[in-house]
Amino acid sequence: MTDLLENPDDLEIAQAAALAGAEEALRHFAVVADLPRELKSDGSVVTAADRAVEMSIRAVLGEARPGDAVLGEEHGATGGEAGRRWIIDPIDGTALFVEGDDRWLVLVALEDQGAITAAVAVVPAQARLWWAGLGTGAYEGSVRAGRITDATRIHVAAGESPALAESTLGVVPDWGRAPAAALIARARERPWALHPPLLVARGDLDLGAQTSGQIWDFAATSLIVTEAGGCYARFDGGDRPGPGASIYARSPQLRDEALKVVNGL
């Protein structure tokens, strides 16, 4: 288990939990060719690695904040009713994971009284991570021997936001792209070696679109992008992470233009 400081704050706990999950995930990723694959009821892939990673994360959270509720993709909702809920996606991009692709993530976020207040996204196979606290900015760093190094504050791209037709776009996932088809036709889509919301947060893309998901897919990345100075919205216009498809943008103007396009307005 990743060590915690004597009196860790919520963001430090989120980091420790995500790093513990990343360590567990890499153990499975090293032998991924031998890992049995299952299908959930929705047709998505799941493995024993997903469940083991979530349990590693839950162990850290349970030790540090035993009274908090936890919602995880694989083990559902557990715990308290105090208005604090940890939200876990143990392996975001399992289909990538099982194919040996290094773009999958471990996502941990804290929702406190309805607002996402702490968020961590680790890309274990690239030894990189991103994090944010509500009102404290967004950062990226490296992972070395289970520790965070080279922390750097990040921001969305500077300067005037381009028109949609001139905007660079990353779309997740590589399949199931129909909800974003109109946006893809209008913007300048780019291939991505890193989860598009993170590319938006660090100023390398103007827009990111994620065509499906649940709250655990969006909770962490929504805060990271907004704390980097960008915008998050569901395709239905709501600004809280939830089921469906979502937009990440470097500016409110670009977000609004993209939402009009995906909604046929």
Side-chain angles (χ1 to χ4, degrees):
M1 183 183 300
T2 300
D3 292 334
L4 286 167
L5 300 174
E6 185 173 348
N7 293 298
D9 62 24
D10 289 331
L11 184 53
E12 289 166 338
I13 291 167
Q15 290 171 333
L19 289 172
E23 183 179 359
E24 178 68 20
L26 284 172
R27 283 198 285 269
H28 293 272
F29 193 59
V31 293
V32 69
D34 300 321
L35 195 63
R37 308 173 192 186
E38 307 164 32
L39 290 180
K40 297 183 184 180
S41 59
D42 63 2
S44 60
V45 180
V46 66
T47 71
D50 297 81
R51 293 185 282 268
V53 171
E54 184 168 322
M55 291 306 297
S56 294
I57 295 169
R58 283 175 175 267
V60 174
L61 299 177
E63 177 185 347
R65 295 288 190 265
D68 290 353
V70 180
L71 173 66
E73 180 176 9
E74 306 307 332
H75 295 285
T78 59
E81 301 178 359
R84 289 171 49 91
R85 178 173 69 161
W86 296 91
I87 302 171
I88 304 168
D89 193 343
I91 299 179
D92 183 45
T94 302
L96 299 172
F97 180 91
V98 298
E99 294 302 323
D101 190 308
D102 69 0
R103 295 177 293 172
W104 51 277
L105 308 98
V106 174
L107 301 174
V108 177
L110 173 63
E111 181 186 55
D112 193 351
Q113 310 305 320
I116 305 299
T117 58
V120 181
V122 187
V123 186
Q126 297 182 23
R128 302 166 76 184
L129 80 164
W130 285 256
W131 66 94
L134 184 62
T136 64
Y139 298 81
E140 69 172 287
S142 301
V143 182
R144 296 178 184 171
R147 304 290 181 182
I148 301 170
T149 65
D150 306 320
T152 304
R153 190 161 184 171
I154 57 173
H155 302 274
V156 296
E160 186 176 351
S161 185
L164 182 58
E166 299 301 318
S167 298
T168 54
L169 167 70
V171 180
V172 186
D174 294 331
W175 55 93
R177 294 155 52 89
L183 186 60
I184 293 167
R186 291 280 299 278
R188 298 164 58 191
E189 188 182 7
R190 295 287 186 266
W192 47 277
L194 182 70
H195 197 50
L198 301 177
L199 291 172
V200 173
R202 69 196 310 267
D204 293 334
L205 279 179
D206 299 313
L207 280 168
Q210 192 159 345
T211 60
S212 63
Q214 299 294 327
I215 189 171
W216 45 75
D217 295 288
F218 306 120
T221 50
S222 64
L223 183 63
I224 292 169
V225 169
T226 55
E227 285 295 320
C231 302
Y232 165 82
R234 300 192 309 271
F235 275 21
D236 65 10
D239 61 1
R240 290 189 177 184
S246 291
I247 288 283
Y248 302 82
R250 63 182 277 189
S251 71
Q253 296 83 4
L254 196 53
R255 172 202 60 200
D256 293 346
E257 191 174 356
L259 288 175
K260 287 180 181 178
V261 169
V262 297
N263 287 297
L265 301 177

